[in-house]
Amino acid sequence: MNPVYVALDTTDLDYALQLAERVRPSIGGLKLGLEFFTARGAEGVRAFTDRGLPIFLDLKFHDIPNTVAGACRAAAQLGVSITNIHAQGGAAMMRAARDAVKGVNPATRLIAVTMLTSLGDEDLPGLGLMPPVSDQVLRLASLAQQCGLDGVVCSAHEIEPLRRELGPDFLLVVPGIRPAGAALGDQRRVMGPKEAMDAGASVLVIGRPITGAADPAQAARDIAQSLGISAN
Ligand code: C5P
């Protein structure tokens, strides 16, 4: 299975569909997030699922269990392959979300966000949490696993400890991937696609190195090739 999901951070449906078709032969799926969903809604997501494109719907739900379960049920009904919630919503919320998703579609993977990577150790005391961030990530990822979730979103440098702690089957979905020579943009701690897979990643979320390339189809092909995957 091709592990590369291309992040389409846009509100423009036509642009997103055109780009998706160009990169399609060399990718595993597409990630649509809050920017796209707030502008285009469920109909925008269906434009992709109707074309048979696997979608990671990255909306990071965080609310009371009943509300999150309802939102997760609606996401699973859209036929997305991956969706997500905040682990900080707690165990009851995660279990309710898992039951809702699996009740609609057992194949939809439900994963958790642990700590936003925009938070550093210095932010934690203000939130009533004890640093370091890495301990919080490990604790929340273990809780997500105990609640029956399929995996977590994590940064590249968290892959190895999480893989060690959580075993071979837990999904580790990793953004912040940069092939050699690609611009960092606003990402700070990055890793190459091959290095991330070798460290134990399950899914790579890659945006601008593909979407911002002069030839996105070629950029996607090059990444697939670096992973030893031939185009469809
Ligand atoms: O363009 P780039 O490859 O940096 O895109 C990465 C994608 O992953 C974006 O959609 C970004 O919002 C998302 N993401 C991230 N870091 C996180 C969580 C999500 O870059 N910790």
Side-chain angles (χ1 to χ4, degrees):
M1 200 195 81
N2 188 321
V4 176
Y5 272 61
V6 178
L8 293 178
D9 291 310
T10 177
T11 57
D12 184 337
L13 178 61
D14 290 337
Y15 160 78
L17 285 171
Q18 276 171 27
L19 192 74
E21 291 300 345
R22 289 177 70 186
V23 298
R24 183 174 191 153
S26 309
I27 63 164
L30 299 151
K31 182 179 86 79
L32 300 172
L34 283 168
E35 184 179 350
F36 179 85
F37 192 79
T38 303
R40 299 287 153 210
E43 211 175 304
V45 177
R46 268 192 226 101
F48 292 88
T49 52
D50 286 351
R51 286 169 167 78
L53 288 156
I55 296 297
F56 167 16
L57 188 59
D58 178 22
L59 300 180
K60 302 184 181 70
F61 296 130
H62 191 173
D63 208 315
I64 59 171
N66 187 56
T67 301
V68 168
C72 284
R73 197 171 298 117
Q77 280 163 349
L78 285 173
V80 300
S81 54
I82 310 173
T83 192
N84 61 3
I85 59 178
H86 269 283
Q88 285 171 83
M93 184 266 251
M94 286 198 274
R95 291 202 177 93
R98 178 209 52 199
D99 291 349
V101 165
K102 302 299 173 182
V104 172
N105 184 359
T108 297
R109 308 297 201 105
L110 180 65
I111 64 174
V113 172
T114 57
M115 298 291 293
L116 293 171
T117 45
S118 49
L119 294 172
D121 286 349
E122 66 285 3
D123 297 308
L124 266 50
L127 297 170
L129 297 170
M130 187 111 82
V133 168
S134 55
D135 285 359
Q136 298 288 345
V137 167
L138 205 53
R139 200 175 44 76
L140 289 165
S142 298
L143 183 63
Q145 188 176 49
Q146 286 160 32
C147 293
L149 268 64
D150 297 302
V152 291
V153 181
C154 70
S155 71
H157 68 277
E158 292 161 355
I159 297 171
E160 281 183 7
L162 288 176
R163 183 56 73 213
R164 236 190 340 266
E165 191 71 21
L166 304 169
D169 299 327
F170 203 58
L171 283 186
L172 300 179
V173 175
V174 185
I177 299 296
R178 289 292 179 269
L184 292 187
D186 53 1
Q187 299 283 9
R188 279 180 293 179
R189 280 176 290 180
V190 301
M191 197 179 273
K194 174 87 168 62
E195 291 70 27
M197 292 305 293
D198 288 348
S202 320
V203 170
L204 306 178
V205 173
I206 307 180
R208 289 160 292 179
I210 293 174
T211 59
D215 183 346
Q218 184 62 46
R221 255 194 311 275
D222 289 346
I223 290 170
Q225 202 170 36
S226 77
L227 298 174
I229 295 164
S230 50
N232 294 322

